[in-house]
Structures are given as C-alpha cells and as structure tokens.
Amino acid sequence: MTLRTTIDFLLHDWLNTSALTERERFVDHSRETFDAVLDTCERIAREKYAPFNRLVDVEEPRTVTEPDGSLRVVLPAATLEAHKAYAASGMLSAAQDFEVGGMQLPYSVEAAANAFFACASVSIGSGMLTTGNANLLMTHGTALQKEVFAKNEFSGRFSGTMCLSEPQAGSSLSDVATRAMPDGEGFEADPLGGRYRLKGNKMWISSGEHELTDNIIHLVLAKIPDADGKLVPGTRGISLFIVPKKLVDTQGALTGVRNDVALAGLNHKLGWRGTTNTLLNFGEGTFPVGQGGYDGKGSGAVGYLVGQPGKGLQCMFHMMNEARIGVGIAATMLGMAGYYASLDYARNRPQGRPMGVGGKDASQPQVAIIEHADVKRMLLAQKSYCEGALALELYCARLVDEHHTAGGATADDARLLLEVLTPIAKSWPSEWCLEANSLAIQIHGGYGYTRDFPVEQYWRDNRLNMIHEGTHGIQATDLLGRKVLMEEGRGLKLLAARMTTSIAHAALFPALAVHGAALAQALQQVAVATQKAWATGNPTEALANAVPYMQAFGHTVLAWIWLDVATKALEHDPAQSSPATQGRMGAARFFFHYELPKIAAWLSVVESRDTTCAALPDHAF
C-alpha cells in the first residue's frame, strides 16, 4: 500500500468524506475536487520537498551580518522554491471562504493533503504556523486586521509566527515578562488596532526570521502594566499583539520602515534543521521606530492589540489547538516515512536463513530480512502506530468539520469530543511514531544510525514533537486535570458511547469480536482509573501519574480507532482477499495482542495514586 491508497481508504471508505458535500459550505465540491487537491499536493511534495529533505538537514539556516550590524538568515534555494510552490497551490487558505480567496475545503481534506508535505520533508515546512496565525486573526481580529494581515498571509505574501515562550519562562506562560505600553496619545484609535510598544525577548520561534516572504507577522503574547507599572501575575494579564517585522499601511503596503524586531540568534536543534528557529528581541532599540516609545527615542516594537486586553491567551489557544493537531500529523508522517524506508530495506536486504527443525542450513541462500519474525514484529508495530495515528488525526480533523458545519447537538458533541481527544492527537503520535522511527533504525541495523540512510534523520526530526506545542506532562495534566472532567465528564461519556457503538458493529464479524471485548474491558479500566485518581479530590495525588494515565487513555483510543477501521475494511472485503485488508487486519490484531495489554501497568499506579515519583526529595536523586 502507498500513502495515497491509505489516505483514500481513510478519507472516503472509513470517514465518508464525500458526504460532507451535501452541506451548504461544501456543496461546490465532490470526490473529484478532493482528489484533485490530493493529486496536486502529492505531486508538489514529491517534486519540491522530498528530493531536498537531506539537503536542508545538512545546509542549516545560517546568519550573515548586515552593514547596520543586524543579522540576516540565509536558507537554501530549495526552501524558497518549495514555499513558492506551496503558496501557489492555494493550501495556505484551503479551508477559507471563496470570498477571501480560499477553497472552502473540509479541514479533513486539508489535513490529508498536508500529510504529503510532512512525509516528504517536515523540515522544509508547509506553512502550518502561517495558516494558524491567519486563522486566528480571521476569528479574533478586526475587519482591517483580517484584510491587511490575514489575507496577505493566506496569499503567501506574508508569513506568520506564534511568539509565546521566553528564555526565562518556557512553557510557564504565567511568567511571561514581555511588556506592552500604550503608544502615546490616541493609541487606541489606530485603524490597525490599539497601538502599543512592546519590549521583551521570545525564544524558540519557528520561522521567526527569513526572506521567503515580503513580511513576517508575529503574534506575540505580552502583558500590559497596571497603573503602578506592575505586571499582573498569572495568565489573566496576558494580551495578544500583531507585531509585523516591517510596518505596513492600511492597504497592506510596506511603508519602508523596519519594526524594532531583531534576530538575536539561531537555535540549533536536533532535528527540523531546515526550519529557522530563533531568539527574537522586541523593542530593544535595534530598529527605532518614530517618536515616543519607552524612552522617547522610538524604542519599543510597534504592536496592534488583538481582541480584548488580558484575553490574549484565549485567542492564542485558537492557534495552539490547531497547531497541536498539526504537530500530531507531523509526528505521524515522520513515523510513516521511517516505516516506508525500513519496509523497503527489509524487502531488499538479504541476511540470515530460516530456522528449520534441525537448525539453520548454511548451504541455503540467504533470505530477505522481512522473512524473520522479529523484523515482521517491528514492521507491524510501525504500521499499527503510524497508520493508526493517521486515522486518529483524520478523525479529529473530521470532528473539526462537524463542529463547524453540522449544526445543533451534533456540532456541540464534536466540539467536546475534540476537546478530549486533542491531547491524544498531539501526544500519542509524538511518542509512538517516534518509537516507530527507532524501530526503523533497528531494522536497518548498523546502517540505520549512519547518515547514508534517511531513518536517523526521521528519528531526530520526530524527537522534537514530544516537546512542540506542549510537553507530554502538559498534555497529560490537561487531559486528566481538565478535559475528562469538563462539563461533568460529558466528553468522556460521549467518547465511551462512540466506542461502544464501534464494539457493537465489530461484534458482527467473528474475527473482530474478541477485539471488541478487549476494548470494552479497557474502556472500563480507564473509567475506574479516572474515578480512583480523583477519589480524594486532591489534584497533587490525582495528577502525580497523569502521563501513565494519558498513555493508557491514548492506547485505548487507538485500539478503538483500529477496531473501527478494521470493521470498515471487512465490510468492504469480508473475504480479506486484498493485501490492503490483510495488512489492516494484521495491524489491528497486533495492536490488540501486543499493545493494548500495556494499559494495565500504566493504570495501576493511577488507581493507587502512587506517590513514588512525586514524593522523592531532590537530594535523593
């Protein structure tokens, strides 16, 4: 099976994406238009991304010093060509209205199309942050902010970032210290939004500096001081600002004035080496803008308020949640790329001989390593992790479509299900598709950790995804501490109801009935563990083992996904006559036999509220 045939099955046979064309928003589309988008993206990824994946890993972004002392980033020409091709495809605005130049594609189709780019070269990038940035402005920005900033991002003329982390704060957004001061008299009347001057430092900003586009639009979290000049503690004092690299007028034209945003340096990461990752200084006087500012000499980067003061984090979560699904897809496709590479290697690498009753016969010719049971085990693990994760991500993308277009209770249920599943959609692939990459290296043997083969790069690239957009600990705390409890546990009940429906459908097929029973037992175990974790009502005790809880929860969700996918496969091919059906059934069987039983160990420490980790004093380490 190819990636395309897998995507086609999941989108059309399993999720019945064509049914969306009956809704008003998608009525101009058909299976043919969806396929045309997939064809285009598959071709661009094959021609403009895949051939340069190793190039951008080796020729990392570098800086040169300009005559004015500022730093400029240099990227390979292939990165610019890939960006141009992606922007020309229309994918930056794929889900937007026709009226703003979009294609009004379902998000599930957009996500599937972007999977090709992530598989070909996640390091070159495919505009995830730009699209998320513009989508946020379309939801929370003013009419002029949408026109000037968002639409130029959708066209590819501008690009976008999200600037949250700071060197001293990391993921602890409560400790954000970037300040935003009103920019003189009449600051609130600027047509582009309330005008402020920002000063501070942001770290780990992907695509924070480059020359791929005419402008870079930074979305920056900062705090507005109170009347005494003090910053409000916690996250409730955080506001959100548009801070363009170059100032623009109300028509979106560049004014020729450089904003006071300066590149302080590049972060040199383990993976994603083709993506510029930056430390940015805002408002430190490198590029003074006009009069006023912090010191009366123009210091302070000009920024325009998005939404209401103090409500910035709520706005930013719109972008962050979307980015978390994007990270899940990136992790999935890196795992998939490693799987395809190791599958090809296993089929073509002769080594060893079959073990007969009398042992191995050295006089017989060697066999391809795919004939060895342990290599098949590793390949099946990769297949079950990666194809299962892809199904999960597309299911979550379909929930986005349901939330936006179904209406009524169906839309609300989709919203709540997505809330519960988002931590899994981000974290599960970033852990288990990374494990798939590790297995890909193992299958290659000694060649696997050399740079002569691509699997070591896939592992390095994927290792970042466990940290991107919220670490495992953050996602786990969100899941057990908030998501499964919200609205009196209604989201968890909705998920359980969908699993129960899948179990009933699977029971019609003898080959799946035993898996359905195993899933029902796992679901009960998760429910009991959730209850026991919170039995004392003490968050410290309940959340001490949030990560094992999330691992068990995620495995249960993936078992459900595989059960549902396998059921659909048997509906289409009850005799299991096609290799595709045999492969899906084998992967489902592997997951239920080898993976789902792991949840008992994870949940045991959750149920007992084990304090081994939380209670050990630091001096004992």
Side-chain angles (χ1 to χ4, degrees):
M1 290 185 291
T2 65
L3 175 58
R4 179 57 183 274
T5 57
T6 299
I7 285 177
D8 283 345
F9 174 82
L10 294 175
L11 272 185
H12 300 298
D13 297 327
W14 181 50
L15 293 175
N16 190 23
T17 306
S18 295
L20 290 172
T21 60
E22 298 173 7
R23 296 181 183 171
E24 181 179 357
R25 179 167 184 79
F26 309 122
V27 71
D28 290 328
H29 285 293
S30 64
R31 169 71 185 266
E32 287 70 29
T33 62
F34 295 159
D35 284 347
V37 170
L38 296 178
D39 289 342
T40 297
C41 291
E42 186 177 18
R43 176 183 56 79
I44 295 172
R46 181 177 62 250
E47 295 175 356
K48 299 293 186 181
Y49 284 69
F52 308 105
N53 188 48
R54 175 61 75 181
L55 172 72
V56 298
D57 184 67
V58 176
E59 294 186 16
E60 296 182 67
R62 59 185 176 84
T63 59
V64 295
T65 303
E66 297 287 75
D68 60 5
S70 64
L71 298 177
R72 178 171 63 88
V73 170
V74 177
L75 293 167
T79 303
L80 177 60
E81 293 303 313
H83 172 79
K84 286 180 178 179
Y86 186 80
S89 75
M91 287 301 296
L92 286 167
S93 58
Q96 291 300 312
D97 295 346
F98 293 132
E99 289 74 13
V100 298
M103 291 190 275
Q104 283 188 203
L105 278 180
Y107 181 58
S108 47
V109 176
E110 178 186 4
N114 278 324
F116 292 111
F117 299 103
C119 190
S121 181
V122 72
S123 189
I124 290 178
S126 55
M128 179 180 75
L129 290 175
T130 296
T131 297
N133 179 309
N135 286 346
L136 182 153
L137 293 177
M138 293 300 290
T139 300
H140 300 287
T142 66
L144 195 57
Q145 287 172 344
K146 296 174 187 179
E147 191 71 29
V148 170
F149 299 111
K151 288 186 179 181
N152 277 305
E153 290 182 84
F154 285 137
S155 72
R157 181 173 167 238
F158 296 169
S159 60
T161 74
M162 52 190 294
C163 299
L164 290 77
S165 297
E166 298 181 3
Q168 84 293 340
S171 298
S172 181
L173 297 181
S174 297
D175 299 310
V176 162
T178 299
R179 302 167 69 92
M181 295 287 289
D183 189 20
E185 186 176 349
F187 75 96
E188 70 280 2
D190 193 296
L192 291 177
R195 190 180 66 253
Y196 289 74
R197 292 296 185 111
L198 279 69
K199 188 171 185 178
N201 315 102
K202 294 293 182 177
M203 176 67 97
W204 313 117
I205 309 307
S206 294
S207 300
E209 178 60 36
H210 55 75
E211 295 183 336
L212 300 174
T213 55
D214 291 347
N215 206 353
I216 302 174
I217 309 305
H218 304 289
L219 285 179
V220 183
L221 293 181
K223 291 184 176 181
I224 303 171
D226 62 18
D228 297 324
K230 297 181 179 180
L231 300 182
V232 178
T235 60
R236 58 191 176 89
I238 296 176
S239 301
L240 180 64
F241 300 88
I242 298 167
V243 184
K245 172 184 173 180
K246 301 173 183 177
L247 297 184
V248 299
D249 63 20
T250 55
Q251 305 300 312
L254 301 182
T255 64
V257 177
R258 173 76 183 264
N259 203 359
D260 198 4
V261 182
L263 174 66
L266 298 179
N267 300 308
H268 301 286
K269 290 188 173 184
L270 173 77
W272 291 53
R273 290 180 176 176
T275 301
T276 309
N277 191 272
T278 62
L279 168 62
L280 298 178
N281 292 339
F282 291 84
E284 296 198 340
T286 304
F287 303 103
V289 182
Q291 298 301 311
Y294 276 83
D295 57 5
K297 299 179 181 178
S299 71
V302 174
Y304 307 101
L305 181 68
V306 178
Q308 299 298 313
K311 303 293 185 182
L313 202 54
Q314 291 92 320
C315 295
M316 187 62 89
F317 268 120
H318 181 281
M319 185 176 181
M320 289 169 66
N321 286 332
E322 186 175 302
R324 283 169 178 166
I325 295 176
V327 168
I329 291 175
T332 297
M333 299 320 300
L334 281 165
M336 194 77 84
Y339 166 59
Y340 289 142
S342 61
L343 176 60
D344 179 69
Y345 185 85
R347 284 172 169 165
N348 291 285
R349 167 68 171 176
Q351 186 171 308
R353 293 163 179 84
M355 179 70 74
V357 175
K360 296 181 180 180
D361 184 353
S363 67
Q364 295 298 310
Q366 292 182 322
V367 297
I369 62 173
I370 197 171
E371 298 301 326
H372 301 309
D374 193 53
V375 173
K376 288 184 178 180
R377 175 190 65 82
M378 291 187 282
L379 288 169
L380 264 174
Q382 291 180 75
K383 183 179 178 68
S384 71
Y385 298 156
C386 300
E387 290 187 16
L390 179 58
L392 170 66
E393 299 303 326
L394 294 181
Y395 181 84
C396 289
R398 179 59 183 269
L399 288 178
V400 173
D401 291 326
E402 295 297 312
H403 174 46
H404 289 164
T405 65
T410 300
D412 192 57
D413 286 352
R415 170 196 62 82
L416 191 54
L417 276 170
L418 193 60
E419 288 277 8
V420 174
L421 288 175
T422 294
I424 303 302
K426 186 274 170 184
S427 65
W428 199 92
S430 68
E431 178 173 6
W432 295 99
C433 293
L434 176 67
E435 173 62 17
N437 289 128
S438 181
L439 292 172
I441 292 174
Q442 189 73 13
I443 287 172
H444 280 72
Y447 290 111
Y449 47 72
T450 70
R451 278 179 270 179
D452 300 307
F453 289 80
V455 288
E456 62 85 27
Q457 182 185 343
Y458 295 143
W459 187 92
R460 285 188 289 103
D461 284 342
N462 217 353
R463 185 58 186 83
L464 277 62
N465 287 316
M466 290 181 73
I467 297 173
H468 279 160
E469 303 308 325
T471 64
H472 255 36
I474 289 172
Q475 302 297 333
T477 300
D478 184 41
L479 177 67
L480 181 55
R482 192 168 71 91
K483 294 297 180 64
V484 298
L485 304 177
M486 64 192 303
E487 299 185 23
E488 299 182 342
R490 188 168 75 87
L492 189 55
K493 293 173 184 175
L494 277 172
L495 182 59
R498 297 211 174 186
M499 290 187 182
T500 301
T501 299
S502 295
I503 291 168
H505 289 165
L508 300 176
F509 298 91
L512 296 177
V514 65
H515 299 332
L519 177 58
Q521 181 180 3
L523 180 59
Q524 178 63 23
Q525 288 177 284
V526 170
V528 169
T530 306
Q531 184 180 27
K532 288 188 176 181
W534 286 103
T536 64
N538 184 337
T540 301
E541 293 182 357
L543 300 177
N545 296 290
V547 167
Y549 176 86
M550 183 175 69
Q551 289 171 314
F553 194 105
H555 261 50
T556 302
V557 168
L558 264 293
W560 163 56
I561 291 290
W562 267 118
L563 184 68
D564 211 54
V565 167
T567 300
K568 183 59 66 175
L570 288 184
E571 287 178 355
H572 283 259
D573 182 15
Q576 300 186 45
S577 57
S578 74
T581 302
Q582 294 166 19
R584 292 184 182 107
M585 290 297 294
R589 188 162 58 249
F590 177 91
F591 200 88
F592 275 93
H593 289 179
Y594 288 77
E595 293 295 328
L596 189 60
K598 294 176 180 177
I599 73 168
W602 287 322
L603 292 179
S604 66
V605 294
V606 177
E607 291 180 9
S608 65
R609 299 181 298 281
D610 190 289
T611 60
T612 299
C613 299
L616 192 67
D618 64 353
H619 63 256
F621 287 92

